[in-house]
Each structure stands twice: as C-alpha cells, then as structure tokens.
Amino acid sequence: MDTDTVRSPAADDSAGRRREQRGWYFYDWACSVYSTTVVTVFLGPYLTTVAEAAADADGFVHPLGVPVRAGSFFAYAVSLSVVVAVLVMPLVGAAADRTGRKKPLLAAAAYTGAAATAGMFFLDGDRYLLGGLLLVVANAAQSVAMMLYNSYLPQIAPPEERDAVSSRGWAFGYAAGALVLVANLVLYTGHDSFGVSEGMAVRICLASAGLWWGAFALIPLRRLRDRRTPAREAALPGFRQLAATVRDMRRHPLTLAFLLAYLVYNDGIQTVISQASVYGSKELGLGQSTLIVAVLLVQVLAVAGALLLGRLARRYGAKRTILGSLVAWTLTLAAGYFLPAGAPVWFFVLAAGIGLVLGGSQALSRSLFSHLVPPGKEAEYFSAYEISDRALSWLGPLLFGLTYQLTGSYRDAILSLVGFFVLGFVLLARVPVRRAIADAGNPVPQRI
C-alpha cells in the first residue's frame, strides 16, 4: 500500500501515539459492558416480562395503538433502534469529517447512551414503553459512538500496527464484559443476602452498565485528540456522502458482492447475540443465573475461537475459514431448535458452539474486507461498511419477532435465523476473492 495516499500517523510522536492507543482501548472496555450486560443478558428477558405485565388478556401490548405480542416487543425495539442509528450515523459522520472534531461528538454519543442505560434503573412495573424508548436511545447512541471510535484507528496506528491495535481493543471489550458479568452474577444470585429483590438486582445490573460506560469513557476522551481534516477531504452532507461512496463502490462490484454476503450472515450473528437470552429464558425456562454463566462462557470462548480461526485462516485461507464458520453457525442453530427445556447443560453446549465461532467469523470478515478496499479509501469504505451493516441488521430481529408473533414459538423464531447463514454462505462462496483483491488494486496474499 502506498502510505502517501492514506492519512498516516507516522509523523506523530511514538510515545504520544502509544498513549492515544491505550486510551482508545478503554472505549471498548467502557462500552462493551452495555452489549453484554444489557443487550445480551438482562434487558431482553426483563423487558419482555415488563411488557407481559402490561399486556391485555390476549398477551398483546398496544404502543401507539398498534397491537404487538408482548414477547415480540423487545425484538421490535431493537429493530427500531437500528433504523434510528442508520438515519443519524451519516449526519454525524459528515459533521465529524467536515469539522475534524470527532471527540465532542464521541462524547455526546457516549454519554447519551450511558445516561439512557443508567435510566433503565427506573424500568419496573408495567413501564414497557419507557424500556423501549431507553433501549432505542442507548442502542442508537452506541452505534454512532462506535462509528466515531472506529474512525480513530487509522489516525492512531500506522498500517503495520492496525491489526494488533484493533485486536487489543477487541480483547479489552471482551475482558470488561466478562468481568462485569461476574459481578452481575454475584449480585443476581445473592440478591436476598444483599437485601434486594430479584427485579431490583436486574435494574441495578442494567444501570451499572451505564455508569461503567460513562466512567471509563473519560479515559479515551482525555487521551484521544482531534486532527483537522484538510478541506479537500471534507465530506458531503449526510446521505450525499454515503451515496457518493456507494457510487464509487459500484466500480468494484466484487467488493460489493462480498459486502452483501457479510451483511446477510452478520445480521444472523447479531440477532443470535441479542435474542439468545430471550430464547433461553422464555422457551427453555432457564434462570437468569444460567444465562449469565452461558454468556460468560461465550465471552471466554470467543477469544479462544478467534485465535483458533485465525490459525485456520493462515493454513486454509480466510474465505474458506469463514465459510466453515457459517456451516458451524447453521448446525449450532439447528441444534438449538431441539434443545430440551430446563436442561442448562445443553444450553451451555450451545453457548460453547456460539463462542467458538463468534469472534473469529467477525474478525476474519473485517480482515478479508480490508483487502477489498481500494488503497487510499480505507476510512471512506469502512464508514459505509459500518452504516450498511446497521442498515440491514434490523431484518434479523424483525424476522425473529414476526415469526414468534405468527407462531407463538421461540423455537420457530430461532430456526428462522438459519436462512441468514445459508444465504450468506451461498453469496460468499460465489465471490472470487483473489480477483476481487486484484481488481481493488491491492497485492493478492499467497493464501486468502
């Protein structure tokens, strides 16, 4: 890659760059607790219970007069939050590029999300609408903040450091998620000894994620620094910038073909992450403690799985390894359909299967996409990558919610997600990645 064509931090002082990198890691440490504690473990089952308490005799709630089965409310709220994020991200991204002032925007997004999450402490009784509103705000804010956070990577790390810096940030996030979940498990299982009810323990866990997010976000906000963007690189307003990038992508149809495949199977991945706890709680009758242990198992094995899939990619190539992981995802979900209720051991086996393919399939997908980006357009293409990811990721939760609404079965809902992995496999298998890399103007690795 011609480093003169990309924004390089080579002129930065090495010690200052390392300091920024360490600060950058801590944003993942700060916000990943929201993903694990709130989205993955506690909020789905708890908000569903709150919605059920507000439901009519037929099991429906009526937000804005629309009949919604209480068991589908959480999935619909997740879908709505994604739509809001997709509408906001291009506007915020354009403002950041025009002004070069990412840090104030990152602070605004982070503390909006942290405040909404802390506000979940007040989610009790039948306040399902409050829970849905806070979820939409927190989820959308997290998406916007992550877009800004990721855009710092090319500025704080030269090309030869980016893989290592990105991986460390990812590891920090999983470590924080596991650490806080251990504390959550202690509080939730011992809530009587702490003198609080089970519902109060859940609300404390939810709110603590917001406090953690806000407290540790101070570290990156102190250490990261803004860099003025040259006028020639200023972005077009909002969606015009996204449209211009998509038009440029049309000159690289094989890159677009890979992006489409990724968006399809990653939507399945994200839906499994957000809905697995609802499935375990409502369909399998598992307690919150069991769900927390299962998520802890996923957190730990995701690191091991990423390392394992990384080694397999070095031997067999990233594309083949990703395809193998999609087969594993399909088999894991199919097995999940047959899990017996009230059997935590088998749910742990399912969690282990998810953990082993979770980190690796996403990390290798990002790595493979980086080879398909034309030199000098890394930030532009990864911005569209992030927005496009969010733009499609409402489909999985929507399908999950609709399937449950139509069938009343979470087993059918979880099985409906298999289609994302099967279709993603077919689309990815059809992409000639070696030709795609060459067409993008990049050197083709010996094994890809």
Side-chain angles (χ1 to χ4, degrees):
M1 182 192 307
D2 180 3
T3 54
D4 289 336
T5 64
V6 296
R7 191 180 304 160
S8 172
D12 288 357
D13 174 73
S14 177
R17 188 170 75 245
R18 301 292 183 206
R19 185 175 187 275
E20 277 197 278
Q21 289 172 0
R22 288 191 292 270
W24 188 81
Y25 302 149
F26 269 97
Y27 188 74
D28 224 326
W29 174 274
C31 75
S32 292
V33 170
Y34 168 81
S35 298
T36 52
T37 291
V38 177
V39 178
T40 306
V41 178
F42 284 107
L43 187 58
Y46 186 71
L47 182 55
T48 300
T49 299
V50 172
E52 288 172 346
D56 59 22
D58 296 321
F60 286 83
V61 290
H62 300 268
L64 303 178
V66 178
V68 172
R69 192 182 289 271
S72 298
F73 181 75
F74 174 70
Y76 289 158
V78 171
S79 291
L80 178 59
S81 73
V82 173
V83 173
V84 173
V86 169
L87 293 175
V88 174
M89 274 194 288
L91 304 176
V92 175
D97 285 338
R98 283 199 306 270
T99 65
R101 293 177 58 80
K102 295 178 183 178
K103 193 157 66 169
L105 294 169
L106 175 60
Y111 283 103
T112 297
T117 306
M120 292 176 186
F121 178 79
F122 301 102
L123 177 58
D124 61 352
D126 59 359
R127 297 177 179 175
Y128 76 98
L129 281 176
L130 173 64
L133 175 63
L134 293 175
L135 171 59
V136 169
V137 172
N139 240 19
Q142 189 209 29
S143 296
V144 173
M146 284 302 296
M147 178 193 69
L148 295 166
Y149 163 73
N150 289 334
S151 72
Y152 271 102
L153 182 58
Q155 297 180 341
I156 65 172
E160 66 274 11
E161 291 183 3
R162 285 178 200 164
D163 287 346
V165 170
S166 179
S167 297
R168 290 187 197 116
W170 181 79
F172 264 55
Y174 272 97
L179 178 65
V180 174
L181 276 181
V182 170
N184 293 156
L185 182 61
V186 171
L187 174 61
Y188 183 81
T189 57
H191 61 84
D192 286 335
S193 61
F194 288 103
V196 297
S197 66
E198 180 178 316
M200 175 64 78
V202 172
R203 289 160 53 202
I204 291 173
C205 291
L206 293 171
S208 68
L211 297 177
W212 178 283
W213 186 356
F216 284 103
L218 290 172
I219 298 175
L221 291 173
R222 285 181 62 86
R223 294 194 175 187
L224 293 171
R225 58 189 181 86
D226 285 328
R227 294 160 175 83
R228 284 289 176 182
T229 303
R232 63 182 177 85
E233 297 181 8
L236 296 169
F239 294 102
R240 289 176 58 196
Q241 176 63 53
L242 179 59
T245 303
V246 171
R247 284 196 300 270
D248 186 74
M249 279 186 169
R250 291 171 62 185
R251 298 192 299 110
H252 304 281
L254 296 180
T255 299
L256 272 177
F258 171 81
L259 183 59
L260 176 60
Y262 168 74
L263 295 180
V264 170
Y265 66 74
N266 187 59
D267 194 9
I269 292 173
Q270 297 303 322
T271 307
V272 172
I273 292 172
S274 66
Q275 304 300 324
S277 60
V278 176
Y279 180 69
S281 172
K282 298 301 179 181
E283 183 67 39
L284 303 182
L286 302 176
Q288 196 73 60
S289 301
T290 299
L291 298 178
I292 296 172
V293 173
V295 173
L296 273 172
L297 185 61
V298 170
Q299 296 284 108
V300 173
L301 289 180
V303 178
L307 296 175
L308 173 62
L309 265 62
R311 299 187 71 162
L312 290 175
R314 287 196 293 271
R315 182 170 182 177
Y316 299 106
K319 178 183 174 180
R320 289 182 180 178
T321 306
I322 295 171
L323 289 172
S325 76
L326 297 181
V327 173
W329 273 107
T330 302
L331 294 176
T332 300
L333 282 185
Y337 177 84
F338 296 101
L339 286 186
V345 172
W346 289 109
F347 190 71
F348 292 150
V349 172
L350 182 71
I354 290 174
L356 286 173
V357 293
L358 172 61
S361 53
Q362 292 181 306
L364 290 178
S365 297
R366 182 172 62 178
S367 172
L368 183 54
F369 182 74
S370 71
H371 290 285
L372 308 179
V373 177
K377 297 188 176 182
E378 290 83 4
E380 181 181 347
Y381 270 56
F382 269 105
S383 174
Y385 177 87
E386 183 81 13
I387 293 171
S388 300
D389 180 6
R390 297 296 189 270
L392 194 62
S393 62
W394 57 271
L395 283 176
L398 179 62
L399 178 62
F400 186 94
L402 282 173
T403 303
Y404 178 77
Q405 176 142 345
L406 294 173
T407 67
S409 169
Y410 284 109
R411 292 185 187 274
D412 292 338
I414 204 74
L415 191 62
S416 71
L417 303 180
V418 167
F420 288 95
F421 297 101
V422 173
L423 180 58
F425 179 96
V426 172
L427 292 174
L428 178 58
R430 293 170 58 87
V431 178
V433 293
R434 300 185 72 85
R435 182 152 60 92
I437 294 170
D439 288 353
N442 293 317
V444 180
Q446 183 177 5
R447 194 175 299 279
I448 192 68

